[in-house]
Amino acid sequence: ERSKWPKETIDLWNRLYKKDAADIETIQKSIVHHVTTTLARAAYNMDNFTAYQAVALSARDRLIAQWNETQGQLSKADPKRVYYLSLEFLLGRSMDNALLNLGLKDVYAKGIGQLGFRMEDVVESESDAALGNGNLGRLAACYMDSLATLEYPAWGYGLRYNYGIFQQRIIEGYQAEFPDYWLNFDNPWELPRLDISIPIYFAGHVHSFQDEYGVTRHKWVPGQSVQAIAYDVPIPGYDTENCNNIRLWRSKPTRVFDLTSFNEGNYEKSVEDATQAEKITSVLYPNDNTMAGKELRLKQQYFWTAASLHDIVRRFKKSQRDWSDFPEQVAIQLNDTHPTLAIVELQRILVDEEQLNWDDAWEIVTRTFAFTNHTVLPEAMEKWSVPMFEYLLPRHLQIVFDINLFFLQKVEKRFPNDRELLKRMSIIEEAQPQQIRMAHLAVVGSHKVNGVAALHSNLIRDTIFKDFVEYYGSDKFVNVTNGITSRRWLNQANHKLSELITETLGSDAWIKDLDLLKGLNKKVDDKVFQKKWMAIKRANKVRLAELIKERCGIEVSPDALFDVQVKRIHEYKRQFMNILAVIHRYRTIKSLTPAQKANVQPRVVIFGGKAAPGYYVAKLVIKLINSVANVVNQDPAVGDLLKVVFIPDYNVSLAEVIVPASDISQHISTAGTEASGTSNMKFVLNGGLILGTMDGANIEILEEIGEDNIFIFGCLAHEVEDLRYAQRYRGVPMDPALQGVLAAIEKGTFEDPKIFQPLISTLTIGKDYYLISADFASYLRANQAVDAAYKDQDEWVKKSIRCTANMGKFSSDRSVKEYADNIWHIKPFKVVDNQQID
Ligand code: HBZ
C-alpha cells in the first residue's frame, strides 16, 4: 500500500521519477542507449531498421510514462469508462503517429537527422500492424485515436493474432496469399503483461442444484481451460497527456491441464492440448462481410469476450460499489456482432457467480451494452449452430435460451397471437440444426443499436430490425455516422497539404477541430493558393507514380487523371463494373481516329484490395483486372491515354500514399449495400473527388460538399428491389454497351475467356444481383462527366479545395463525441502532468 510508505521513500521516488526532457540531446541519448543496450548493436552496424527500432523504443519509454500516469490517475478518480470490444484493430504503422501525438515529431526528426538517418526512411522501416480486414478494423483504430485525443477514459479490447491479414501477391494475375507473421521482430508498441493471466474455460457440462433458499442454481463445470495473457498497446492522444490502452489477449496453454495428461503418461496429448490452446489467437479470419461458421472462430470470440469481461468486472469490483452501479461505471460498445457473447457472459457472471436474481442481472446487462451494426448483407449475419455452441459453451446455451424465452414472452404479451412475428424475432432460428442469430441477441441485450451512416441506419430500422423497432420503439435505434482521424489521414498522410492549410488558416487548431477547414472556402478563387494546392496534388501523384513503377513495373504519367478504387474486393463493391467500364473505354479509344484521340483525357485506373481466400468470384475479378492491364498497358494504339494498375497487398500504409494522390476515387456499391464506407471520407478530405452511388456516407458527403463537387450515378436504394424484380420477371435486356464489353472478353481479347466464364455468368439476365447492367449506362455517362470536368483545370481545383474545406463533419472526433454523449454517457477526464506520487 502506497499510503503506508515512509515519507523518505516517497521523497526518493519523487526525486527519481521525472519525465525525460524533450530536448534533442536527451532524445539522441535515449536512441543511442537503445541501440547499444536493448538492441546490442554497434553504431557502425546500424541500418534503417535498427534506427527504427531504437526510435520506437525511445518513443515507447515516453508512451509508457504517459500511460502509467493516465491509468494511475484514472484508477484514483474512477470515472465511468467505455470499453470498445473489437475483434479487429487495424492500426497500421505506429511510429509517426506516436511522435506526432507526443508532440515530438520535429525534434526526433532533427535528432536522428544528426545521427545520419532520414526520418522518412526510418518511418518506412516499420511494418503494418494489420490485425483487421478492412474498415471495420480501421474504424476501431480511428476511434481509439479520437477517444484519447478527446480525453475520454476508454479501453479497447481485442485479440493479439500471431498472423494478421494475409499478404497478397499477384502471381500470373491471380491473388496468392502468404502469411503475415508480423511478430518476427519484437513489437516495440506493445507491453507484455505476463502477470495478467486469466483462465478461460470451454466445454464440460452444467451442474444444477438447489441453493439454501430452495432456488435452482446452475454451475458450469468446464472440461477444458486455456490462459489469456494481456498485451497492452498504448494509444496516446494528440496534444494531450492522456494515453489510453488497447488490451490484446493472447492464448496460452494452462499448465495444470497439460500436467494432468502428462502424469497419466500421455505426453503427446499434453503437447497436443497445448498446441490447441495456442491456436486460438493464432490467426485473424480473413473474411469481411461473410460468415465462416468455424468452431475456432467461436472459440476466439468467447476467449476474447470472457477475458475482457473478467478484466472489466475485476476493475469494477475494486471500487466496492453495489452491482446496480455497474452501468454507471461501465459502458461496453460491441463492434458488430463479433463480441455479442459478452452479453451472455456478463449475465452468467452476475447470476451464477455473483448470485444476483435473473431480472436484476438482466437490467444491469442491458444498460451496459450498446451495439454497432456494420452491414445488411444477409451472408454477413452471424449465426452459430446450436450443437456446436452447446458443446463449447453448455451453460451459455442455456442462458441464451432463457434470454430468448423471457424476451418472446414479452413480445407475445405486447402482440398476442402472432406466431409469425415470434418466429421472425426469435434469437433461435428454427433450422436443421437450430441457429443462434447473433444480431438478434445483440439487439435484445443492448440499450442502443446504431448504424454507421444515415442511410444505413434508416435501412436497418426498415429491414433487418423492423420488428424490433416496433417492439422497443424507435429511440433505441440511432445513427452515428462514421468518421476518420484527421491526424493520420491528413496531417500525417499529406503533410505538405497539412502545412499549407495551417499556413492559410493561421493556426493548426484544425487538427483537433476539423470544422475549421471551412476557412479554406474563402480561398477557393485565390489563384496563388490554387497553384500551391495543385502543386501538392501533383507531388503526391509523382510519389504514387514512383511507387507504381517500383511495385508493378508500370510507367504512368502524373499528368493523367488518377482514378482510384482501393478497398476489399467484393461483388457488392462492384470492382467488376469498374473494370468492365475500363474495357469499354479501351475499345472506344481503339476505335478513334488520331485527331479524335487528341481529345481523350488520359487516365490511370488504379485498383487495390484483397479478396477473401475462399471467395472465388472476387478472386476472378482480380485476375480479370490484371489480364486487362496486361493487354491495355502494352497496346501502342493506346499509349498514355489509358493505363491500368493493380497495386498488390493494399494496406493502411499504402493507403497513406495512395489517398493523397487521387483525383477521382470510386465508391460505386449497389445502393443500399455499403453501410458507410470510410475511405470515401479520406479521399475527399485530401481534395480528391468522388465518383459514386447514392450509398452509405457518400450521401452525407454530397450534402456537405455540394452536388457540384461529386459525380453521382446509378439507381437509388429504394429502387433496387423493383429493379431486381423487373430483371428477373420482366425480361429487361442487358445494357448494349455491356453486351459489347462481354463479347470482347468472350472473344478472348484478354486471355482465355474460359477463365472468366464464372464471373460473366453472374451477369446473366435475372441473376445480376448487384445491378451492374441496370447502372452501366449511367456509370459510363458519369465517367464522361469526370473526363470533361477534369479538362477544365481552373474549375477542378476549386472543386478540390471545396471538398477538403467542407469535410469537418467526418472527423472521428465528432463521431466519438456523439457516442459519448448519446450512448455511453461518459465525460472527458483530463490527465494532469504532475509526475509526483503521493
Ligand atoms: O465497416 C465495413 C462496412 O462494409 C463499411 O461500409 C463501413 O464503413 C465499415 C465501418 O463501419 N465492414 C467491414 O469492414 N467488415 C469487416 O471487415 C468484417 C470482418 C469480419 C466479419 C464481418 C465483417 O466477420
Side-chain angles (χ1 to χ4, degrees):
E1 276 261 339
R2 216 195 241 173
S3 58
K4 296 191 190 118
W5 280 14
K7 189 172 174 318
E8 305 85 72
T9 316
I10 292 183
D11 288 346
L12 176 60
W13 267 96
N14 281 335
R15 253 191 301 125
L16 296 171
Y17 178 46
K18 280 269 172 322
K19 202 157 99 175
D20 287 344
D23 60 289
I24 281 210
E25 177 152 343
T26 311
I27 282 166
Q28 288 173 329
K29 268 191 182 155
S30 104
I31 294 171
V32 169
H33 166 79
H34 281 297
V35 170
T36 53
T37 62
T38 322
L39 301 169
R41 290 271 201 149
Y44 53 79
N45 188 17
M46 245 178 96
D47 52 13
N48 280 326
F49 184 67
T50 317
Y52 152 70
Q53 287 180 301
V55 171
L57 289 164
S58 155
R60 165 195 153 117
D61 290 344
R62 289 168 192 270
L63 287 179
I64 295 175
Q66 272 201 8
W67 188 98
N68 260 320
E69 200 57 63
T70 304
Q71 302 313 323
Q73 291 181 33
L74 278 176
S75 294
K76 227 166 125 195
D78 203 22
K80 181 170 185 178
R81 296 170 172 89
V82 63
Y83 297 102
Y84 198 82
L85 267 56
S86 181
L87 255 192
E88 308 191 358
F89 287 95
L90 192 45
L91 294 168
R93 289 176 176 151
S94 285
M95 194 167 83
D96 196 29
N97 186 249
L99 296 179
L100 173 72
N101 285 10
L102 287 167
L104 297 175
K105 203 166 150 169
D106 292 341
V107 49
Y108 264 89
K110 255 193 219 137
I112 61 166
Q114 292 173 359
L115 291 170
F117 290 88
R118 283 183 354 137
M119 193 55 151
E120 300 92 277
D121 302 333
V122 174
V123 163
E124 280 173 19
S125 300
E126 179 174 3
S127 50
D128 278 31
L131 307 185
N133 273 285
N135 279 327
L136 174 148
R138 184 54 232 177
L139 186 78
C142 283
Y143 283 0
M144 292 312 295
D145 181 77
S146 285
L147 283 163
T149 300
L150 298 183
E151 302 176 335
Y152 286 114
W155 275 38
Y157 278 106
L159 289 183
R160 182 181 178 275
Y161 304 105
N162 291 340
Y163 297 89
I165 188 70
F166 63 85
Q167 280 180 11
Q168 177 195 57
R169 284 184 220 156
I170 301 300
I171 299 177
E172 291 180 7
Y174 289 100
Q175 166 175 300
E177 299 95 21
F178 291 83
D180 166 48
Y181 189 63
W182 70 297
L183 297 167
N184 221 343
F185 300 91
D186 243 12
N187 173 14
W189 306 108
E190 68 183 10
L191 288 95
R193 298 267 171 198
L194 302 183
D195 53 319
I196 301 180
S197 165
I198 297 172
I200 305 294
Y201 303 103
F202 292 101
H205 64 275
V206 180
H207 170 60
S208 302
F209 59 99
Q210 310 264 302
D211 70 6
E212 63 228 79
Y213 310 103
V215 179
T216 306
R217 298 248 167 224
H218 307 276
K219 200 176 152 37
W220 178 19
V221 187
Q224 306 164 11
S225 91
V226 300
Q227 295 291 318
I229 310 293
Y231 286 74
D232 287 344
V233 181
I235 303 292
Y238 171 77
D239 188 27
T240 163
E241 292 296 313
N242 287 53
C243 184
N244 285 340
N245 190 30
I246 301 179
R247 177 157 286 178
L248 301 178
W249 301 105
R250 169 186 176 191
S251 60
K252 259 185 53 175
T254 304
R255 296 202 59 195
V256 190
F257 265 68
D258 36 11
L259 278 181
T260 325
S261 305
F262 183 72
N263 289 338
E264 285 163 2
N266 197 344
Y267 180 74
E268 265 172 46
K269 180 168 186 314
S270 77
V271 175
E272 169 62 20
D273 287 352
T275 315
Q276 288 302 322
E278 299 206 316
K279 228 168 112 173
I280 296 177
T281 55
S282 167
V283 58
L284 164 78
Y285 274 86
N287 308 307
D288 73 310
N289 287 310
T290 45
M291 160 75 194
K294 295 271 175 13
E295 182 181 281
L296 184 60
R297 171 81 166 182
L298 182 58
K299 274 190 143 175
Q300 288 187 335
Q301 293 187 351
Y302 180 67
F303 171 83
W304 156 57
T305 51
S308 308
L309 265 182
H310 185 103
D311 216 36
I312 294 166
V313 165
R314 181 185 49 81
R315 199 166 299 124
F316 172 77
K317 280 176 132 186
K318 273 204 284 196
S319 69
Q320 312 213 316
R321 291 174 211 253
D322 197 79
W323 275 112
S324 60
D325 284 345
F326 192 80
E328 253 68 69
Q329 289 299 108
V330 174
I332 303 180
Q333 189 66 32
L334 306 174
N335 197 23
D336 215 295
T337 52
H338 316 150
T340 304
L341 280 171
I343 290 171
V344 190
E345 174 69 358
L346 183 58
Q347 181 72 4
R348 187 190 68 79
I349 293 171
L350 296 178
V351 173
D352 289 4
E353 292 179 9
E354 303 294 333
Q355 324 274 302
L356 269 70
N357 77 48
W358 179 278
D359 290 341
D360 291 348
W362 188 242
E363 167 82 12
I364 291 168
V365 169
T366 50
R367 285 175 58 208
T368 300
F369 287 98
F371 159 50
T372 305
N373 168 281
H374 294 266
T375 182
V376 293
L377 298 186
E379 66 269 32
M381 294 298 154
E382 281 199 301
K383 290 174 189 172
W384 291 110
S385 109
V386 164
M388 183 166 103
F389 195 99
E390 182 172 31
Y391 165 72
L392 281 181
L393 302 164
R395 176 58 185 141
H396 294 77
L397 184 70
Q398 291 180 339
I399 295 174
V400 169
F401 273 100
D402 284 347
I403 292 171
N404 194 38
L405 177 71
F406 301 139
F407 170 64
L408 291 181
Q409 281 172 350
K410 288 194 200 138
V411 175
E412 165 72 19
K413 236 191 203 147
R414 274 277 301 286
F415 304 106
N417 305 318
D418 191 345
R419 297 211 42 170
E420 277 307 307
L421 179 73
L422 296 183
K423 211 170 134 185
R424 285 202 307 272
M425 294 182 80
S426 176
I427 294 170
I428 306 297
E429 184 175 289
E430 291 307 330
Q432 250 349 306
Q434 288 178 313
Q435 305 279 323
I436 306 175
R437 297 163 166 160
M438 300 308 268
H440 290 198
L441 181 55
V443 169
V444 173
S446 299
H447 64 284
K448 282 275 180 331
V449 176
N450 77 284
V452 289
L455 174 76
H456 169 66
S457 296
N458 287 332
L459 272 176
I460 62 178
R461 276 191 283 251
D462 294 345
T463 60
I464 52 175
F465 301 141
K466 188 164 192 284
D467 297 323
F468 294 88
V469 174
E470 264 158 43
Y471 173 71
Y472 286 110
S474 58
D475 288 357
K476 176 162 173 168
F477 297 84
V478 298
N479 172 246
V480 184
T481 298
N482 282 167
I484 56 172
T485 168
S486 56
R487 271 73 67 185
R488 182 173 297 256
W489 294 110
L490 183 48
N491 190 285
Q492 289 172 231
N494 201 346
H495 201 65
K496 283 268 152 18
L497 194 67
S498 174
E499 282 176 340
L500 177 62
I501 292 169
T502 298
E503 173 197 310
T504 308
L505 299 177
S507 134
D508 66 2
W510 61 269
I511 299 174
K512 274 176 103 166
D513 181 0
L514 208 58
D515 284 321
L516 292 175
L517 290 179
K518 285 237 178 311
L520 297 175
N521 277 314
K522 57 178 192 293
K523 289 288 184 176
V524 165
D525 295 309
D526 181 327
K527 290 276 178 245
V528 179
F529 182 73
Q530 289 177 354
K531 231 176 147 181
K532 291 184 185 166
W533 190 268
M534 286 315 264
I536 291 168
K537 179 62 83 183
R538 191 163 194 292
N540 292 334
K541 289 168 74 174
V542 169
R543 179 169 68 155
L544 178 57
E546 283 164 3
L547 184 141
I548 289 171
K549 174 87 217 222
E550 185 192 308
R551 308 245 169 132
C552 316
I554 300 169
E555 200 94 47
V556 300
S557 161
D559 294 317
L561 186 164
F562 276 21
D563 165 356
V564 180
Q565 188 179 19
V566 285
K567 47 184 84 229
R568 287 298 288 252
I569 312 289
H570 214 294
E571 283 169 283
Y572 85 83
K573 295 178 190 276
R574 299 200 291 192
Q575 285 93 350
F576 187 26
M577 182 167 79
N578 186 349
I579 194 65
L580 292 169
V582 169
I583 296 174
H584 180 80
R585 178 177 286 266
Y586 172 61
R587 283 160 44 85
T588 309
I589 292 173
K590 299 252 307 173
S591 72
L592 299 179
T593 64
Q596 290 170 319
K597 277 189 189 167
N599 288 322
V600 171
Q601 168 58 50
R603 201 189 271 224
V604 181
V605 185
I606 298 161
F607 292 88
K610 295 172 186 178
Y615 192 169
Y616 179 62
V617 174
K619 291 174 105 169
L620 273 186
V621 172
I622 296 178
K623 171 66 181 166
L624 179 60
I625 293 169
N626 284 308
S627 299
V628 172
N630 246 335
V631 171
V632 170
N633 296 343
Q634 281 164 38
D635 192 333
V638 173
D640 263 354
L641 296 183
L642 180 61
K643 289 274 180 256
V644 182
V645 177
F646 187 94
I647 303 180
D649 203 34
Y650 178 62
N651 61 13
V652 173
S653 45
L654 267 174
E656 289 170 26
V657 180
I658 295 170
V659 166
S662 102
D663 296 308
I664 275 284
S665 67
Q666 300 209 25
H667 308 274
I668 58 177
S669 49
T670 314
T673 61
E674 186 72 275
S676 160
T678 47
S679 77
N680 43 5
M681 302 168 187
K682 294 165 195 168
F683 283 103
V684 181
L685 183 62
N686 282 279
L689 277 60
I690 284 182
L691 168 56
T693 47
M694 287 298 261
D695 201 15
N698 289 354
I699 299 172
E700 287 157 83
I701 294 174
L702 181 156
E703 285 165 8
E704 294 297 305
I705 67 176
E707 60 182 6
D708 294 341
N709 305 306
I710 185 166
F711 299 89
I712 293 289
F713 71 94
C715 68
L716 305 178
H718 70 264
E719 297 165 346
V720 163
E721 269 318 303
D722 284 352
L723 283 167
R724 283 190 188 136
Y725 185 89
Q727 238 200 156
R728 204 166 307 154
Y729 301 109
R730 298 216 196 96
V732 180
M734 184 183 282
D735 177 271
L738 182 58
Q739 282 182 35
V741 170
L742 296 188
I745 299 175
E746 280 165 339
K747 213 171 66 193
T749 316
F750 314 100
E751 266 185 83
D752 184 353
K754 279 207 289 298
I755 300 173
F756 303 114
Q757 203 46 52
L759 190 54
I760 289 175
S761 74
T762 65
L763 298 180
T764 314
I765 309 253
K767 278 200 189 164
D768 177 12
Y769 189 75
Y770 294 102
L771 299 173
I772 288 181
S773 173
D775 277 353
F776 204 66
S778 72
Y779 181 50
L780 295 181
R781 275 197 303 278
N783 265 299
Q784 282 167 6
V786 169
D787 288 332
Y790 193 75
K791 287 204 153 170
D792 187 350
Q793 284 285 303
D794 290 346
E795 282 305 310
W796 186 274
V797 58
K798 294 182 195 170
K799 292 182 199 290
S800 171
I801 298 167
R802 281 194 209 105
C803 276
T804 305
N806 295 297
M807 284 299 284
K809 168 173 171 180
F810 302 98
S811 165
S812 46
D813 297 350
R814 188 267 314 147
S815 315
V816 155
K817 190 160 184 319
E818 286 182 16
Y819 279 103
D821 291 347
N822 306 331
I823 299 179
W824 305 329
H825 306 292
I826 56 163
K827 300 221 154 34
F829 175 89
K830 194 172 186 59
V831 171
V832 290
D833 185 11
N834 72 355
Q835 304 172 49
Q836 296 282 294
I837 63 170
D838 52 19

